[in-house]
C-alpha cells in the first residue's frame, strides 16, 4: 500500500506540472521585460542565471532568454505572434487579448496545484478571462507620490494632502528654481498607469464600478485632466519636457538626479533614489479634497503560448520560476512585491525589506488595471498614443478622452 500511495503521489505531481516525464530535447523561447536601468542591473542576468540553474536540474530542456526594454516589448511580442513566431513564454504587461484569440495555455494546463493556489487571490482574479486564469502574475507593485525631502525643506513646504497642496507645493518648488516641480510622464512607456493614478485621485477610473464597463470619458475623468492641463501643465509646473514626450524612465532618472520635486513612483525608484543620495518622502497620491479613492496596483504577467506545443516543458519551468527563492530573488533585486502568499510572508518578516512595507500594506486595497478585459491591450495602446495630448495647450481633454472611449467601445464590440 505504501508503494501504491507513493506511486500515486508521483503521478499527481507530474500531472500537476503538465505531465513532464520523459521530455525530449526542447528549447523554450522566453521573452521577458527588462526591469533594470543599465547593463549592470539588467534583468537578463537574473533570467540567464535562473535558466542555467533550471537546465542543470532538467536535462533535455533549454531556455533561450530574450530580454527587451519595456518601451517596446509588448509591441515586439505582438509582432512575433502576428508573424507566427510566438515565444513559448512571454513576461510582459498584458495577456487578455491573446487569451481571447485562444493562443494561451490556461494556468490549470501548466502549473502544479501548490504553485497555482499560492498566488495572491486578488492577482489570480486579475489574471482571469471569463473566470479562467490565463495570466500568471509575475511581480506586483503599488504606487505612491514620491517627493524630494531636501527640496521640500528648502522650499519650506510639507507633503501635499490634496490637489490644492500639490499645486502650491509645485509653485514653491518652481520659485526655488527646481527644474521640474512635478513630473507627469504621459509618454508611450507607461502612460496607461500614470493616467489611472490621476483618475483615481480625481474620484474616477477606467471602468464603472457597477458593471465593469469602460467609463473613460466620465465627468470626473474629464475634470481631472482639465485640472492637470490648466493648474499644473499650463501653469508651467511640469518642467521643460512636455508630458506627452516624457517617459517614466526619463522622469525617474531626473528624480534620482535631484531635478524633480514630486512624481508618482514605485518601489524600485525608492531604492534608486536612495542610492543616488536623494532623501525620499512617500505618501498616497492625494485626492481633490483629501485622501484619494484608492491607490493603484500594478501586476506584470507571465503567459505561455500554445503555438509550439511545449506545454509540459513550459509547466515545469514555470513551477520552478515560482519557487519562493526565485520569486524573492527577483522581487528583492528590483524592490517589487512578490505575487505569492508564501513569498509575501517571507518578505514582510524580513527586516531588510522594511522599506517595502508601505507598498505591501497598500496592495490588498489597491485597484488594478483592467487586465482581464480582452480589449485592454487595445485600450492601453490608445492611451499610450493619445492621452498626452489631453494636457497640451489649446487641447480639449473631453475630446481626447472621448476618442479613447470610442476606441474602447470599438474594442469591446469586437470581442
Amino acid at each position: 500500500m505504501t508503494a501504491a500511495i507513493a506511486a500515486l503521489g508521483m503521478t499527481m505531481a507530474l500531472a500537476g506540472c503538465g505531465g513532464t516525464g520523459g521530455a525530449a530535447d526542447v528549447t523554450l523561447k522566453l521573452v521577458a521585460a527588462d526591469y533594470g536601468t543599465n547593463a549592470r542591473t539588467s534583468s537578463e542576468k537574473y533570467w540567464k542565471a535562473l535558466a542555467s540553474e533550471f537546465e542543470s536540474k532538467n536535462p533535455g530542456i533549454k531556455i533561450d532568454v530574450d530580454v527587451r526594454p519595456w518601451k517596446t516589448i509588448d509591441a515586439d511580442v505582438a509582432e512575433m505572434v502576428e508573424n507566427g513566431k510566438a515565444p513559448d513564454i512571454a513576461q510582459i504587461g498584458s495577456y487578455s487579448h491573446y487569451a481571447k484569440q485562444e493562443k494561451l495555455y490556461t494556468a490549470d494546463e501548466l502549473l502544479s496545484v501548490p504553485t497555482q493556489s499560492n498566488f495572491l487571490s486578488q492577482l489570480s482574479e486579475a489574471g482571469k478571462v471569463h473566470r479562467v486564469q490565463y495570466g500568471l502574475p509575475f511581480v506586483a507593485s503599488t504606487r505612491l507620490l514620491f517627493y524630494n525631502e531636501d527640496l521640500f525643506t528648502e522650499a519650506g513646504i510639507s507633503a501635499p494632502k490634496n490637489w490644492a497642496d500639490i499645486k502650491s507645493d509645485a509653485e514653491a518648488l518652481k520659485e526655488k528654481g527646481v527644474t521640474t516641480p512635478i513630473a507627469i510622464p504621459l509618454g508611450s512607456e507607461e502612460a496607461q498607469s500614470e493616467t489611472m493614478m490621476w483618475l483615481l485621485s480625481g474620484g474616477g477610473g477606467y471602468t464603472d464600478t457597477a458593471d465593469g464597463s469602460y467609463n473613460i470619458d466620465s465627468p470626473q475623468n474629464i475634470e481631472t485632466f482639465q485640472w492637470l492641463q490648466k493648474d499644473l501643465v499650463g501653469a508651467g509646473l511640469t518642467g521643460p519636457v512636455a508630458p506627452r514626450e516624457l517617459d517614466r524612465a526619463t522622469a525617474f532618472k531626473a528624480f534620482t538626479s535631484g531635478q524633480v520635486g514630486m512624481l508618482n513612483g514605485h518601489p524600485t525608484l525608492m531604492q534608486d533614489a536612495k542610492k543616488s543620495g536623494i532623501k525620499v518622502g512617500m505618501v498616497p497620491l492625494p485626492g481633490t479634497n483629501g485622501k484619494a479613492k484608492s491607490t493603484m496596483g500594478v501586476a506584470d504577467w507571465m503567459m505561455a503560448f500554445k503555438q509550439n506545443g511545449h506545454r509540459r516543458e513550459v509547466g515545469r519551468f514555470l513551477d520552478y520560476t515560482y519557487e519562493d527563492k526565485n520569486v524573492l530573488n527577483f522581487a528583492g533585486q528590483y524592490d517589487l512585491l512578490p505575487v505569492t502568499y508564501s513569498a509575501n510572508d517571507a518578505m514582510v518578516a524580513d527586516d531588510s525589506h522594511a522599506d517595502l512595507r508601505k507598498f505591501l500594506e497598500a496592495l490588498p486595497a489597491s485597484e488594478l488595471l483592467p487586465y482581464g478585459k480582452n480589449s485592454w491591450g487595445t485600450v492601453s495602446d490608445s492611451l499610450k498614443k493619445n492621452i498626452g495630448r489631453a494636457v497640451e495647450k489649446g487641447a480639449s481633454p473631453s475630446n481626447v478622452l472621448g476618442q479613447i472611449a470610442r476606441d474602447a467601445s470599438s474594442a469591446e464590440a469586437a470581442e
Side-chain angles (χ1 to χ4, degrees):
M1 182 176 290
T2 301
I5 291 172
L8 176 61
M10 180 63 72
T11 300
M12 291 175 66
L14 290 174
C17 61
T20 56
D25 286 349
V26 165
T27 297
L28 302 179
K29 176 75 170 181
L30 165 68
V31 179
D34 195 350
Y35 290 74
T37 55
N38 52 51
R40 182 178 58 83
T41 62
S42 173
S43 303
E44 185 174 33
K45 292 184 177 180
Y46 169 85
W47 284 114
K48 287 195 170 179
L50 183 71
S52 178
E53 293 168 5
F54 173 80
E55 290 168 357
S56 69
K57 297 177 181 180
N58 295 271
I61 307 177
K62 300 294 183 184
I63 310 297
D64 177 14
V65 174
D66 183 358
V67 173
R68 302 194 177 209
W70 266 117
K71 189 169 182 177
T72 65
I73 190 167
D74 287 318
D76 291 346
V77 171
E79 184 177 357
M80 293 175 195
V81 173
E82 185 177 346
N83 292 337
K85 298 179 180 179
D88 295 285
I89 306 164
Q91 186 270 297
I92 53 178
S94 179
Y95 67 87
S96 57
H97 52 300
Y98 298 123
K100 175 198 171 183
Q101 297 167 2
E102 299 183 348
K103 295 183 181 294
L104 302 180
Y105 289 117
T106 67
D108 289 339
E109 293 174 311
L110 296 166
L111 303 176
S112 66
V113 172
T115 298
Q116 190 175 357
S117 63
N118 198 23
F119 290 131
L120 294 170
S121 59
Q122 180 191 24
L123 299 177
S124 286
E125 288 300 314
K128 293 180 179 179
V129 174
H130 301 312
R131 297 185 293 279
V132 177
Q133 186 176 359
Y134 295 90
L136 314 179
F138 179 63
V139 286
S141 70
T142 49
R143 303 298 166 85
L144 299 173
L145 180 68
F146 285 44
Y147 62 95
N148 184 315
E149 289 190 350
D150 288 337
L151 293 180
F152 267 56
T153 298
E154 292 170 12
I157 53 179
S158 57
K161 295 181 174 63
N162 53 44
W163 281 7
D165 289 346
I166 290 176
K167 181 179 180 180
S168 62
D169 285 353
E171 289 171 338
L173 292 165
K174 183 178 181 180
E175 289 176 6
K176 285 293 182 178
V178 175
T179 304
T180 303
I182 180 166
I184 304 178
L186 294 176
S188 62
E189 183 184 4
E190 210 194 21
Q192 78 283 7
S193 295
E194 182 72 16
T195 297
M196 184 170 175
M197 284 182 271
W198 286 107
L199 297 184
L200 291 173
S201 76
Y206 285 136
T207 57
D208 188 294
T209 54
D211 62 9
S213 61
Y214 285 115
N215 198 22
I216 293 172
D217 58 347
S218 68
Q220 297 99 316
N221 292 347
I222 291 170
E223 288 172 8
T224 293
F225 268 82
Q226 287 173 337
W227 181 79
L228 291 173
Q229 179 193 45
K230 177 185 174 185
D231 289 63
L232 296 185
V233 180
L237 301 176
T238 54
V241 180
R244 184 183 184 184
E245 305 298 329
L246 183 63
D247 282 336
R248 178 187 63 176
T250 303
F252 280 12
K253 186 174 181 180
F255 184 80
T256 60
S257 64
Q259 300 175 55
V260 174
M262 295 177 278
L263 83 171
N264 293 315
H266 56 51
T268 304
L269 177 61
M270 173 184 64
Q271 297 299 338
D272 288 345
K274 287 182 178 180
K275 289 173 186 175
S276 299
I278 303 297
K279 208 172 169 185
V280 180
M282 296 176 293
V283 294
L285 180 61
T288 52
N289 297 306
K291 188 176 179 180
K293 173 184 174 182
S294 64
T295 189
M296 185 186 72
V298 175
D300 298 326
W301 302 94
M302 294 278 272
M303 62 211 69
F305 287 89
K306 295 190 289 186
Q307 178 181 308
N308 300 319
H310 296 149
R311 177 176 65 88
R312 287 190 283 269
E313 295 82 4
V314 169
R316 185 181 288 186
F317 178 70
L318 290 174
D319 272 337
Y320 184 74
T321 299
Y322 284 106
E323 290 182 8
D324 278 359
K325 63 185 178 72
N326 297 324
V327 172
L328 286 167
N329 185 6
F330 191 92
Q333 182 176 342
Y334 294 104
D335 296 299
L336 293 167
L337 308 183
V339 296
T340 64
Y341 285 107
S342 54
N344 259 268
D345 289 344
M347 181 172 277
V348 169
D350 187 345
D351 287 340
S352 68
H353 294 297
D355 286 346
L356 291 174
R357 286 173 184 155
K358 278 188 178 181
F359 297 94
L360 286 164
E361 290 167 2
L363 183 59
S366 64
E367 184 169 331
L368 275 71
L369 293 163
Y371 298 110
K373 294 177 78 66
N374 292 337
S375 56
W376 173 240
T378 300
V379 176
S380 178
D381 286 343
S382 180
L383 283 157
K384 291 177 182 181
K385 292 174 184 175
N386 298 306
I387 194 62
R389 294 187 292 109
V391 296
E392 292 180 342
K393 182 178 180 181
S396 167
S398 177
N399 289 345
V400 174
L401 288 168
Q403 177 59 58
I404 298 169
R406 289 190 291 276
D407 290 343
S409 294
S410 298
E412 287 271 84
E415 289 188 4

